[in-house]
mmCIF file with all atom_site columns, all heavy atoms in Angstrom:
data_model
loop_
_atom_site.group_PDB
_atom_site.id
_atom_site.type_symbol
_atom_site.label_atom_id
_atom_site.label_alt_id
_atom_site.label_comp_id
_atom_site.label_asym_id
_atom_site.label_entity_id
_atom_site.label_seq_id
_atom_site.pdbx_PDB_ins_code
_atom_site.Cartn_x
_atom_site.Cartn_y
_atom_site.Cartn_z
_atom_site.occupancy
_atom_site.B_iso_or_equiv
_atom_site.pdbx_formal_charge
_atom_site.auth_seq_id
_atom_site.auth_comp_id
_atom_site.auth_asym_id
_atom_site.auth_atom_id
_atom_site.pdbx_PDB_model_num
ATOM 1   N N   . LEU A 1 1  ? 14.763 -12.611 -0.064 1.00 96.00 ? 26 LEU A N   1
ATOM 2   C CA  . LEU A 1 1  ? 15.442 -11.483 0.569  1.00 96.00 ? 26 LEU A CA  1
ATOM 3   C C   . LEU A 1 1  ? 15.417 -10.256 -0.332 1.00 96.00 ? 26 LEU A C   1
ATOM 4   O O   . LEU A 1 1  ? 15.741 -10.328 -1.515 1.00 96.00 ? 26 LEU A O   1
ATOM 5   C CB  . LEU A 1 1  ? 16.892 -11.861 0.890  1.00 96.00 ? 26 LEU A CB  1
ATOM 6   C CG  . LEU A 1 1  ? 17.767 -10.804 1.571  1.00 96.00 ? 26 LEU A CG  1
ATOM 7   C CD1 . LEU A 1 1  ? 18.816 -11.485 2.452  1.00 96.00 ? 26 LEU A CD1 1
ATOM 8   C CD2 . LEU A 1 1  ? 18.463 -9.884  0.568  1.00 96.00 ? 26 LEU A CD2 1
ATOM 9   N N   . SER A 1 2  ? 15.038 -9.136  0.263  1.00 94.00 ? 27 SER A N   1
ATOM 10  C CA  . SER A 1 2  ? 15.133 -7.844  -0.416 1.00 94.00 ? 27 SER A CA  1
ATOM 11  C C   . SER A 1 2  ? 15.770 -6.860  0.554  1.00 94.00 ? 27 SER A C   1
ATOM 12  O O   . SER A 1 2  ? 15.188 -6.536  1.588  1.00 94.00 ? 27 SER A O   1
ATOM 13  C CB  . SER A 1 2  ? 13.750 -7.351  -0.854 1.00 94.00 ? 27 SER A CB  1
ATOM 14  O OG  . SER A 1 2  ? 13.866 -6.152  -1.609 1.00 94.00 ? 27 SER A OG  1
ATOM 15  N N   . ALA A 1 3  ? 16.973 -6.432  0.252  1.00 91.00 ? 28 ALA A N   1
ATOM 16  C CA  . ALA A 1 3  ? 17.708 -5.549  1.154  1.00 91.00 ? 28 ALA A CA  1
ATOM 17  C C   . ALA A 1 3  ? 17.270 -4.098  0.978  1.00 91.00 ? 28 ALA A C   1
ATOM 18  O O   . ALA A 1 3  ? 16.860 -3.678  -0.096 1.00 91.00 ? 28 ALA A O   1
ATOM 19  C CB  . ALA A 1 3  ? 19.204 -5.671  0.899  1.00 91.00 ? 28 ALA A CB  1
ATOM 20  N N   . MET A 1 4  ? 17.358 -3.346  2.061  1.00 92.00 ? 29 MET A N   1
ATOM 21  C CA  . MET A 1 4  ? 17.027 -1.922  1.998  1.00 92.00 ? 29 MET A CA  1
ATOM 22  C C   . MET A 1 4  ? 18.159 -1.116  2.617  1.00 92.00 ? 29 MET A C   1
ATOM 23  O O   . MET A 1 4  ? 18.801 -1.545  3.578  1.00 92.00 ? 29 MET A O   1
ATOM 24  C CB  . MET A 1 4  ? 15.713 -1.636  2.719  1.00 92.00 ? 29 MET A CB  1
ATOM 25  C CG  . MET A 1 4  ? 15.651 -2.136  4.140  1.00 92.00 ? 29 MET A CG  1
ATOM 26  S SD  . MET A 1 4  ? 14.015 -1.844  4.874  1.00 92.00 ? 29 MET A SD  1
ATOM 27  C CE  . MET A 1 4  ? 14.196 -2.731  6.428  1.00 92.00 ? 29 MET A CE  1
ATOM 28  N N   . ARG A 1 5  ? 18.399 0.057   2.044  1.00 89.00 ? 30 ARG A N   1
ATOM 29  C CA  . ARG A 1 5  ? 19.472 0.903   2.542  1.00 89.00 ? 30 ARG A CA  1
ATOM 30  C C   . ARG A 1 5  ? 19.133 1.501   3.900  1.00 89.00 ? 30 ARG A C   1
ATOM 31  O O   . ARG A 1 5  ? 19.981 1.597   4.783  1.00 89.00 ? 30 ARG A O   1
ATOM 32  C CB  . ARG A 1 5  ? 19.753 2.016   1.536  1.00 89.00 ? 30 ARG A CB  1
ATOM 33  C CG  . ARG A 1 5  ? 20.900 2.935   1.908  1.00 89.00 ? 30 ARG A CG  1
ATOM 34  C CD  . ARG A 1 5  ? 21.104 3.999   0.853  1.00 89.00 ? 30 ARG A CD  1
ATOM 35  N NE  . ARG A 1 5  ? 19.884 4.781   0.643  1.00 89.00 ? 30 ARG A NE  1
ATOM 36  C CZ  . ARG A 1 5  ? 19.788 5.782   -0.226 1.00 89.00 ? 30 ARG A CZ  1
ATOM 37  N NH1 . ARG A 1 5  ? 20.821 6.100   -0.987 1.00 89.00 ? 30 ARG A NH1 1
ATOM 38  N NH2 . ARG A 1 5  ? 18.645 6.442   -0.364 1.00 89.00 ? 30 ARG A NH2 1
ATOM 39  N N   . ASP A 1 6  ? 17.873 1.907   4.073  1.00 90.00 ? 31 ASP A N   1
ATOM 40  C CA  . ASP A 1 6  ? 17.421 2.467   5.344  1.00 90.00 ? 31 ASP A CA  1
ATOM 41  C C   . ASP A 1 6  ? 15.906 2.302   5.441  1.00 90.00 ? 31 ASP A C   1
ATOM 42  O O   . ASP A 1 6  ? 15.269 1.725   4.550  1.00 90.00 ? 31 ASP A O   1
ATOM 43  C CB  . ASP A 1 6  ? 17.821 3.938   5.473  1.00 90.00 ? 31 ASP A CB  1
ATOM 44  C CG  . ASP A 1 6  ? 17.374 4.773   4.282  1.00 90.00 ? 31 ASP A CG  1
ATOM 45  O OD1 . ASP A 1 6  ? 16.211 4.608   3.841  1.00 90.00 ? 31 ASP A OD1 1
ATOM 46  O OD2 . ASP A 1 6  ? 18.175 5.587   3.786  1.00 90.00 ? 31 ASP A OD2 1
ATOM 47  N N   . GLU A 1 7  ? 15.317 2.814   6.509  1.00 92.00 ? 32 GLU A N   1
ATOM 48  C CA  . GLU A 1 7  ? 13.891 2.625   6.757  1.00 92.00 ? 32 GLU A CA  1
ATOM 49  C C   . GLU A 1 7  ? 13.004 3.239   5.680  1.00 92.00 ? 32 GLU A C   1
ATOM 50  O O   . GLU A 1 7  ? 11.857 2.820   5.500  1.00 92.00 ? 32 GLU A O   1
ATOM 51  C CB  . GLU A 1 7  ? 13.519 3.206   8.124  1.00 92.00 ? 32 GLU A CB  1
ATOM 52  C CG  . GLU A 1 7  ? 14.006 2.378   9.303  1.00 92.00 ? 32 GLU A CG  1
ATOM 53  C CD  . GLU A 1 7  ? 13.336 1.010   9.365  1.00 92.00 ? 32 GLU A CD  1
ATOM 54  O OE1 . GLU A 1 7  ? 12.190 0.866   8.889  1.00 92.00 ? 32 GLU A OE1 1
ATOM 55  O OE2 . GLU A 1 7  ? 13.976 0.074   9.875  1.00 92.00 ? 32 GLU A OE2 1
ATOM 56  N N   . SER A 1 8  ? 13.526 4.222   4.948  1.00 91.00 ? 33 SER A N   1
ATOM 57  C CA  . SER A 1 8  ? 12.724 4.855   3.903  1.00 91.00 ? 33 SER A CA  1
ATOM 58  C C   . SER A 1 8  ? 12.390 3.884   2.770  1.00 91.00 ? 33 SER A C   1
ATOM 59  O O   . SER A 1 8  ? 11.457 4.115   2.002  1.00 91.00 ? 33 SER A O   1
ATOM 60  C CB  . SER A 1 8  ? 13.460 6.072   3.322  1.00 91.00 ? 33 SER A CB  1
ATOM 61  O OG  . SER A 1 8  ? 14.614 5.676   2.596  1.00 91.00 ? 33 SER A OG  1
ATOM 62  N N   . GLU A 1 9  ? 13.138 2.789   2.682  1.00 92.00 ? 34 GLU A N   1
ATOM 63  C CA  . GLU A 1 9  ? 12.918 1.804   1.622  1.00 92.00 ? 34 GLU A CA  1
ATOM 64  C C   . GLU A 1 9  ? 12.178 0.560   2.109  1.00 92.00 ? 34 GLU A C   1
ATOM 65  O O   . GLU A 1 9  ? 12.018 -0.407  1.358  1.00 92.00 ? 34 GLU A O   1
ATOM 66  C CB  . GLU A 1 9  ? 14.258 1.401   1.001  1.00 92.00 ? 34 GLU A CB  1
ATOM 67  C CG  . GLU A 1 9  ? 14.971 2.560   0.316  1.00 92.00 ? 34 GLU A CG  1
ATOM 68  C CD  . GLU A 1 9  ? 16.286 2.134   -0.319 1.00 92.00 ? 34 GLU A CD  1
ATOM 69  O OE1 . GLU A 1 9  ? 16.822 1.082   0.084  1.00 92.00 ? 34 GLU A OE1 1
ATOM 70  O OE2 . GLU A 1 9  ? 16.756 2.852   -1.207 1.00 92.00 ? 34 GLU A OE2 1
ATOM 71  N N   . ARG A 1 10 ? 11.742 0.576   3.362  1.00 94.00 ? 35 ARG A N   1
ATOM 72  C CA  . ARG A 1 10 ? 11.129 -0.620  3.930  1.00 94.00 ? 35 ARG A CA  1
ATOM 73  C C   . ARG A 1 10 ? 9.897  -1.073  3.143  1.00 94.00 ? 35 ARG A C   1
ATOM 74  O O   . ARG A 1 10 ? 9.737  -2.255  2.847  1.00 94.00 ? 35 ARG A O   1
ATOM 75  C CB  . ARG A 1 10 ? 10.747 -0.403  5.397  1.00 94.00 ? 35 ARG A CB  1
ATOM 76  C CG  . ARG A 1 10 ? 10.046 -1.608  6.010  1.00 94.00 ? 35 ARG A CG  1
ATOM 77  C CD  . ARG A 1 10 ? 9.861  -1.461  7.491  1.00 94.00 ? 35 ARG A CD  1
ATOM 78  N NE  . ARG A 1 10 ? 11.139 -1.434  8.197  1.00 94.00 ? 35 ARG A NE  1
ATOM 79  C CZ  . ARG A 1 10 ? 11.843 -2.523  8.488  1.00 94.00 ? 35 ARG A CZ  1
ATOM 80  N NH1 . ARG A 1 10 ? 11.398 -3.727  8.100  1.00 94.00 ? 35 ARG A NH1 1
ATOM 81  N NH2 . ARG A 1 10 ? 12.970 -2.427  9.134  1.00 94.00 ? 35 ARG A NH2 1
ATOM 82  N N   . GLU A 1 11 ? 9.019  -0.143  2.823  1.00 95.00 ? 36 GLU A N   1
ATOM 83  C CA  . GLU A 1 11 ? 7.778  -0.521  2.144  1.00 95.00 ? 36 GLU A CA  1
ATOM 84  C C   . GLU A 1 11 ? 8.061  -1.212  0.813  1.00 95.00 ? 36 GLU A C   1
ATOM 85  O O   . GLU A 1 11 ? 7.458  -2.254  0.498  1.00 95.00 ? 36 GLU A O   1
ATOM 86  C CB  . GLU A 1 11 ? 6.900  0.712   1.909  1.00 95.00 ? 36 GLU A CB  1
ATOM 87  C CG  . GLU A 1 11 ? 5.561  0.374   1.256  1.00 95.00 ? 36 GLU A CG  1
ATOM 88  C CD  . GLU A 1 11 ? 4.685  1.597   1.085  1.00 95.00 ? 36 GLU A CD  1
ATOM 89  O OE1 . GLU A 1 11 ? 5.051  2.693   1.564  1.00 95.00 ? 36 GLU A OE1 1
ATOM 90  O OE2 . GLU A 1 11 ? 3.608  1.454   0.459  1.00 95.00 ? 36 GLU A OE2 1
ATOM 91  N N   . GLU A 1 12 ? 8.981  -0.653  0.053  1.00 95.00 ? 37 GLU A N   1
ATOM 92  C CA  . GLU A 1 12 ? 9.310  -1.247  -1.243 1.00 95.00 ? 37 GLU A CA  1
ATOM 93  C C   . GLU A 1 12 ? 9.960  -2.615  -1.074 1.00 95.00 ? 37 GLU A C   1
ATOM 94  O O   . GLU A 1 12 ? 9.610  -3.577  -1.772 1.00 95.00 ? 37 GLU A O   1
ATOM 95  C CB  . GLU A 1 12 ? 10.238 -0.324  -2.028 1.00 95.00 ? 37 GLU A CB  1
ATOM 96  C CG  . GLU A 1 12 ? 10.517 -0.820  -3.448 1.00 95.00 ? 37 GLU A CG  1
ATOM 97  C CD  . GLU A 1 12 ? 11.392 0.143   -4.210 1.00 95.00 ? 37 GLU A CD  1
ATOM 98  O OE1 . GLU A 1 12 ? 12.385 0.632   -3.627 1.00 95.00 ? 37 GLU A OE1 1
ATOM 99  O OE2 . GLU A 1 12 ? 11.109 0.394   -5.394 1.00 95.00 ? 37 GLU A OE2 1
ATOM 100 N N   . ALA A 1 13 ? 10.914 -2.719  -0.143 1.00 95.00 ? 38 ALA A N   1
ATOM 101 C CA  . ALA A 1 13 ? 11.598 -3.992  0.086  1.00 95.00 ? 38 ALA A CA  1
ATOM 102 C C   . ALA A 1 13 ? 10.616 -5.069  0.537  1.00 95.00 ? 38 ALA A C   1
ATOM 103 O O   . ALA A 1 13 ? 10.650 -6.215  0.057  1.00 95.00 ? 38 ALA A O   1
ATOM 104 C CB  . ALA A 1 13 ? 12.706 -3.820  1.121  1.00 95.00 ? 38 ALA A CB  1
ATOM 105 N N   . GLU A 1 14 ? 9.735  -4.724  1.440  1.00 96.00 ? 39 GLU A N   1
ATOM 106 C CA  . GLU A 1 14 ? 8.746  -5.692  1.916  1.00 96.00 ? 39 GLU A CA  1
ATOM 107 C C   . GLU A 1 14 ? 7.802  -6.108  0.802  1.00 96.00 ? 39 GLU A C   1
ATOM 108 O O   . GLU A 1 14 ? 7.388  -7.272  0.732  1.00 96.00 ? 39 GLU A O   1
ATOM 109 C CB  . GLU A 1 14 ? 7.967  -5.109  3.088  1.00 96.00 ? 39 GLU A CB  1
ATOM 110 C CG  . GLU A 1 14 ? 8.795  -4.988  4.362  1.00 96.00 ? 39 GLU A CG  1
ATOM 111 C CD  . GLU A 1 14 ? 8.005  -4.422  5.523  1.00 96.00 ? 39 GLU A CD  1
ATOM 112 O OE1 . GLU A 1 14 ? 6.885  -3.898  5.283  1.00 96.00 ? 39 GLU A OE1 1
ATOM 113 O OE2 . GLU A 1 14 ? 8.499  -4.506  6.670  1.00 96.00 ? 39 GLU A OE2 1
ATOM 114 N N   . ASN A 1 15 ? 7.476  -5.174  -0.064 1.00 96.00 ? 40 ASN A N   1
ATOM 115 C CA  . ASN A 1 15 ? 6.599  -5.490  -1.192 1.00 96.00 ? 40 ASN A CA  1
ATOM 116 C C   . ASN A 1 15 ? 7.255  -6.535  -2.104 1.00 96.00 ? 40 ASN A C   1
ATOM 117 O O   . ASN A 1 15 ? 6.619  -7.514  -2.500 1.00 96.00 ? 40 ASN A O   1
ATOM 118 C CB  . ASN A 1 15 ? 6.283  -4.226  -1.983 1.00 96.00 ? 40 ASN A CB  1
ATOM 119 C CG  . ASN A 1 15 ? 5.379  -4.509  -3.169 1.00 96.00 ? 40 ASN A CG  1
ATOM 120 O OD1 . ASN A 1 15 ? 4.295  -5.063  -3.025 1.00 96.00 ? 40 ASN A OD1 1
ATOM 121 N ND2 . ASN A 1 15 ? 5.826  -4.125  -4.359 1.00 96.00 ? 40 ASN A ND2 1
ATOM 122 N N   . PHE A 1 16 ? 8.534  -6.329  -2.422 1.00 96.00 ? 41 PHE A N   1
ATOM 123 C CA  . PHE A 1 16 ? 9.248  -7.281  -3.277 1.00 96.00 ? 41 PHE A CA  1
ATOM 124 C C   . PHE A 1 16 ? 9.328  -8.660  -2.626 1.00 96.00 ? 41 PHE A C   1
ATOM 125 O O   . PHE A 1 16 ? 9.042  -9.689  -3.248 1.00 96.00 ? 41 PHE A O   1
ATOM 126 C CB  . PHE A 1 16 ? 10.671 -6.781  -3.574 1.00 96.00 ? 41 PHE A CB  1
ATOM 127 C CG  . PHE A 1 16 ? 10.738 -5.579  -4.463 1.00 96.00 ? 41 PHE A CG  1
ATOM 128 C CD1 . PHE A 1 16 ? 11.700 -4.600  -4.238 1.00 96.00 ? 41 PHE A CD1 1
ATOM 129 C CD2 . PHE A 1 16 ? 9.857  -5.411  -5.514 1.00 96.00 ? 41 PHE A CD2 1
ATOM 130 C CE1 . PHE A 1 16 ? 11.775 -3.483  -5.044 1.00 96.00 ? 41 PHE A CE1 1
ATOM 131 C CE2 . PHE A 1 16 ? 9.926  -4.292  -6.342 1.00 96.00 ? 41 PHE A CE2 1
ATOM 132 C CZ  . PHE A 1 16 ? 10.886 -3.319  -6.093 1.00 96.00 ? 41 PHE A CZ  1
ATOM 133 N N   . ALA A 1 17 ? 9.737  -8.686  -1.355 1.00 97.00 ? 42 ALA A N   1
ATOM 134 C CA  . ALA A 1 17 ? 9.920  -9.959  -0.658 1.00 97.00 ? 42 ALA A CA  1
ATOM 135 C C   . ALA A 1 17 ? 8.592  -10.681 -0.439 1.00 97.00 ? 42 ALA A C   1
ATOM 136 O O   . ALA A 1 17 ? 8.489  -11.902 -0.633 1.00 97.00 ? 42 ALA A O   1
ATOM 137 C CB  . ALA A 1 17 ? 10.629 -9.726  0.670  1.00 97.00 ? 42 ALA A CB  1
ATOM 138 N N   . ASN A 1 18 ? 7.561  -9.935  -0.054 1.00 97.00 ? 43 ASN A N   1
ATOM 139 C CA  . ASN A 1 18 ? 6.256  -10.560 0.189  1.00 97.00 ? 43 ASN A CA  1
ATOM 140 C C   . ASN A 1 18 ? 5.633  -11.095 -1.102 1.00 97.00 ? 43 ASN A C   1
ATOM 141 O O   . ASN A 1 18 ? 4.975  -12.140 -1.096 1.00 97.00 ? 43 ASN A O   1
ATOM 142 C CB  . ASN A 1 18 ? 5.307  -9.555  0.837  1.00 97.00 ? 43 ASN A CB  1
ATOM 143 C CG  . ASN A 1 18 ? 5.687  -9.252  2.276  1.00 97.00 ? 43 ASN A CG  1
ATOM 144 O OD1 . ASN A 1 18 ? 6.327  -10.064 2.944  1.00 97.00 ? 43 ASN A OD1 1
ATOM 145 N ND2 . ASN A 1 18 ? 5.304  -8.078  2.759  1.00 97.00 ? 43 ASN A ND2 1
ATOM 146 N N   . LYS A 1 19 ? 5.841  -10.388 -2.184 1.00 97.00 ? 44 LYS A N   1
ATOM 147 C CA  . LYS A 1 19 ? 5.325  -10.868 -3.471 1.00 97.00 ? 44 LYS A CA  1
ATOM 148 C C   . LYS A 1 19 ? 6.003  -12.179 -3.858 1.00 97.00 ? 44 LYS A C   1
ATOM 149 O O   . LYS A 1 19 ? 5.364  -13.106 -4.369 1.00 97.00 ? 44 LYS A O   1
ATOM 150 C CB  . LYS A 1 19 ? 5.548  -9.818  -4.559 1.00 97.00 ? 44 LYS A CB  1
ATOM 151 C CG  . LYS A 1 19 ? 4.955  -10.214 -5.900 1.00 97.00 ? 44 LYS A CG  1
ATOM 152 C CD  . LYS A 1 19 ? 5.135  -9.107  -6.935 1.00 97.00 ? 44 LYS A CD  1
ATOM 153 C CE  . LYS A 1 19 ? 4.542  -9.526  -8.285 1.00 97.00 ? 44 LYS A CE  1
ATOM 154 N NZ  . LYS A 1 19 ? 4.702  -8.457  -9.307 1.00 97.00 ? 44 LYS A NZ  1
ATOM 155 N N   . ALA A 1 20 ? 7.298  -12.272 -3.595 1.00 97.00 ? 45 ALA A N   1
ATOM 156 C CA  . ALA A 1 20 ? 8.035  -13.499 -3.887 1.00 97.00 ? 45 ALA A CA  1
ATOM 157 C C   . ALA A 1 20 ? 7.498  -14.657 -3.060 1.00 97.00 ? 45 ALA A C   1
ATOM 158 O O   . ALA A 1 20 ? 7.309  -15.778 -3.563 1.00 97.00 ? 45 ALA A O   1
ATOM 159 C CB  . ALA A 1 20 ? 9.521  -13.289 -3.606 1.00 97.00 ? 45 ALA A CB  1
ATOM 160 N N   . VAL A 1 21 ? 7.232  -14.391 -1.780 1.00 98.00 ? 46 VAL A N   1
ATOM 161 C CA  . VAL A 1 21 ? 6.682  -15.428 -0.898 1.00 98.00 ? 46 VAL A CA  1
ATOM 162 C C   . VAL A 1 21 ? 5.312  -15.876 -1.389 1.00 98.00 ? 46 VAL A C   1
ATOM 163 O O   . VAL A 1 21 ? 4.995  -17.075 -1.408 1.00 98.00 ? 46 VAL A O   1
ATOM 164 C CB  . VAL A 1 21 ? 6.603  -14.911 0.552  1.00 98.00 ? 46 VAL A CB  1
ATOM 165 C CG1 . VAL A 1 21 ? 5.776  -15.862 1.412  1.00 98.00 ? 46 VAL A CG1 1
ATOM 166 C CG2 . VAL A 1 21 ? 8.001  -14.757 1.130  1.00 98.00 ? 46 VAL A CG2 1
ATOM 167 N N   . GLU A 1 22 ? 4.500  -14.933 -1.796 1.00 98.00 ? 47 GLU A N   1
ATOM 168 C CA  . GLU A 1 22 ? 3.166  -15.258 -2.290 1.00 98.00 ? 47 GLU A CA  1
ATOM 169 C C   . GLU A 1 22 ? 3.239  -16.177 -3.514 1.00 98.00 ? 47 GLU A C   1
ATOM 170 O O   . GLU A 1 22 ? 2.497  -17.168 -3.602 1.00 98.00 ? 47 GLU A O   1
ATOM 171 C CB  . GLU A 1 22 ? 2.434  -13.969 -2.656 1.00 98.00 ? 47 GLU A CB  1
ATOM 172 C CG  . GLU A 1 22 ? 1.007  -14.183 -3.151 1.00 98.00 ? 47 GLU A CG  1
ATOM 173 C CD  . GLU A 1 22 ? 0.321  -12.884 -3.525 1.00 98.00 ? 47 GLU A CD  1
ATOM 174 O OE1 . GLU A 1 22 ? 0.864  -11.800 -3.189 1.00 98.00 ? 47 GLU A OE1 1
ATOM 175 O OE2 . GLU A 1 22 ? -0.748 -12.948 -4.155 1.00 98.00 ? 47 GLU A OE2 1
ATOM 176 N N   . LEU A 1 23 ? 4.137  -15.864 -4.424 1.00 98.00 ? 48 LEU A N   1
ATOM 177 C CA  . LEU A 1 23 ? 4.298  -16.700 -5.615 1.00 98.00 ? 48 LEU A CA  1
ATOM 178 C C   . LEU A 1 23 ? 4.767  -18.100 -5.243 1.00 98.00 ? 48 LEU A C   1
ATOM 179 O O   . LEU A 1 23 ? 4.307  -19.094 -5.811 1.00 98.00 ? 48 LEU A O   1
ATOM 180 C CB  . LEU A 1 23 ? 5.292  -16.048 -6.584 1.00 98.00 ? 48 LEU A CB  1
ATOM 181 C CG  . LEU A 1 23 ? 4.824  -14.755 -7.252 1.00 98.00 ? 48 LEU A CG  1
ATOM 182 C CD1 . LEU A 1 23 ? 5.979  -14.109 -8.034 1.00 98.00 ? 48 LEU A CD1 1
ATOM 183 C CD2 . LEU A 1 23 ? 3.660  -15.034 -8.199 1.00 98.00 ? 48 LEU A CD2 1
ATOM 184 N N   . ALA A 1 24 ? 5.693  -18.174 -4.291 1.00 98.00 ? 49 ALA A N   1
ATOM 185 C CA  . ALA A 1 24 ? 6.211  -19.473 -3.866 1.00 98.00 ? 49 ALA A CA  1
ATOM 186 C C   . ALA A 1 24 ? 5.120  -20.308 -3.204 1.00 98.00 ? 49 ALA A C   1
ATOM 187 O O   . ALA A 1 24 ? 4.967  -21.505 -3.478 1.00 98.00 ? 49 ALA A O   1
ATOM 188 C CB  . ALA A 1 24 ? 7.384  -19.277 -2.920 1.00 98.00 ? 49 ALA A CB  1
ATOM 189 N N   . GLN A 1 25 ? 4.356  -19.682 -2.334 1.00 98.00 ? 50 GLN A N   1
ATOM 190 C CA  . GLN A 1 25 ? 3.317  -20.417 -1.615 1.00 98.00 ? 50 GLN A CA  1
ATOM 191 C C   . GLN A 1 25 ? 2.212  -20.908 -2.549 1.00 98.00 ? 50 GLN A C   1
ATOM 192 O O   . GLN A 1 25 ? 1.598  -21.952 -2.292 1.00 98.00 ? 50 GLN A O   1
ATOM 193 C CB  . GLN A 1 25 ? 2.753  -19.535 -0.501 1.00 98.00 ? 50 GLN A CB  1
ATOM 194 C CG  . GLN A 1 25 ? 3.748  -19.306 0.630  1.00 98.00 ? 50 GLN A CG  1
ATOM 195 C CD  . GLN A 1 25 ? 3.243  -18.369 1.701  1.00 98.00 ? 50 GLN A CD  1
ATOM 196 O OE1 . GLN A 1 25 ? 2.288  -17.612 1.482  1.00 98.00 ? 50 GLN A OE1 1
ATOM 197 N NE2 . GLN A 1 25 ? 3.868  -18.405 2.873  1.00 98.00 ? 50 GLN A NE2 1
ATOM 198 N N   . LYS A 1 26 ? 1.968  -20.181 -3.620 1.00 98.00 ? 51 LYS A N   1
ATOM 199 C CA  . LYS A 1 26 ? 0.996  -20.647 -4.616 1.00 98.00 ? 51 LYS A CA  1
ATOM 200 C C   . LYS A 1 26 ? 1.442  -21.951 -5.267 1.00 98.00 ? 51 LYS A C   1
ATOM 201 O O   . LYS A 1 26 ? 0.610  -22.723 -5.758 1.00 98.00 ? 51 LYS A O   1
ATOM 202 C CB  . LYS A 1 26 ? 0.789  -19.577 -5.688 1.00 98.00 ? 51 LYS A CB  1
ATOM 203 C CG  . LYS A 1 26 ? -0.071 -18.408 -5.247 1.00 98.00 ? 51 LYS A CG  1
ATOM 204 C CD  . LYS A 1 26 ? -0.270 -17.414 -6.374 1.00 98.00 ? 51 LYS A CD  1
ATOM 205 C CE  . LYS A 1 26 ? -1.167 -16.264 -5.935 1.00 98.00 ? 51 LYS A CE  1
ATOM 206 N NZ  . LYS A 1 26 ? -1.348 -15.261 -7.022 1.00 98.00 ? 51 LYS A NZ  1
ATOM 207 N N   . GLU A 1 27 ? 2.754  -22.176 -5.262 1.00 97.00 ? 52 GLU A N   1
ATOM 208 C CA  . GLU A 1 27 ? 3.306  -23.416 -5.817 1.00 97.00 ? 52 GLU A CA  1
ATOM 209 C C   . GLU A 1 27 ? 3.510  -24.476 -4.748 1.00 97.00 ? 52 GLU A C   1
ATOM 210 O O   . GLU A 1 27 ? 4.132  -25.509 -5.003 1.00 97.00 ? 52 GLU A O   1
ATOM 211 C CB  . GLU A 1 27 ? 4.639  -23.124 -6.517 1.00 97.00 ? 52 GLU A CB  1
ATOM 212 C CG  . GLU A 1 27 ? 4.522  -22.235 -7.746 1.00 97.00 ? 52 GLU A CG  1
ATOM 213 C CD  . GLU A 1 27 ? 3.690  -22.875 -8.842 1.00 97.00 ? 52 GLU A CD  1
ATOM 214 O OE1 . GLU A 1 27 ? 3.787  -24.110 -9.011 1.00 97.00 ? 52 GLU A OE1 1
ATOM 215 O OE2 . GLU A 1 27 ? 2.943  -22.152 -9.525 1.00 97.00 ? 52 GLU A OE2 1
ATOM 216 N N   . GLY A 1 28 ? 3.013  -24.205 -3.553 1.00 97.00 ? 53 GLY A N   1
ATOM 217 C CA  . GLY A 1 28 ? 3.139  -25.170 -2.467 1.00 97.00 ? 53 GLY A CA  1
ATOM 218 C C   . GLY A 1 28 ? 4.497  -25.190 -1.814 1.00 97.00 ? 53 GLY A C   1
ATOM 219 O O   . GLY A 1 28 ? 4.865  -26.167 -1.148 1.00 97.00 ? 53 GLY A O   1
#
């Protein structure tokens, strides 16, 4: 989870959360 204050932060929040998912999936 990466929270964002408003839509202006969506790209950054998604980047943080997606990177975390990528790392997790690499570990199965």
Side-chain angles (χ1 to χ4, degrees):
L26 180 150
S27 185
M29 54 184 173
R30 183 180 57 180
D31 53 44
E32 287 295 332
S33 68
E34 297 181 340
R35 177 172 295 280
E36 182 178 354
E37 186 178 44
E39 289 181 347
N40 180 56
F41 291 143
N43 289 335
K44 184 177 180 180
V46 168
E47 182 181 348
L48 292 172
Q50 290 176 342
K51 284 182 178 179
E52 295 297 323

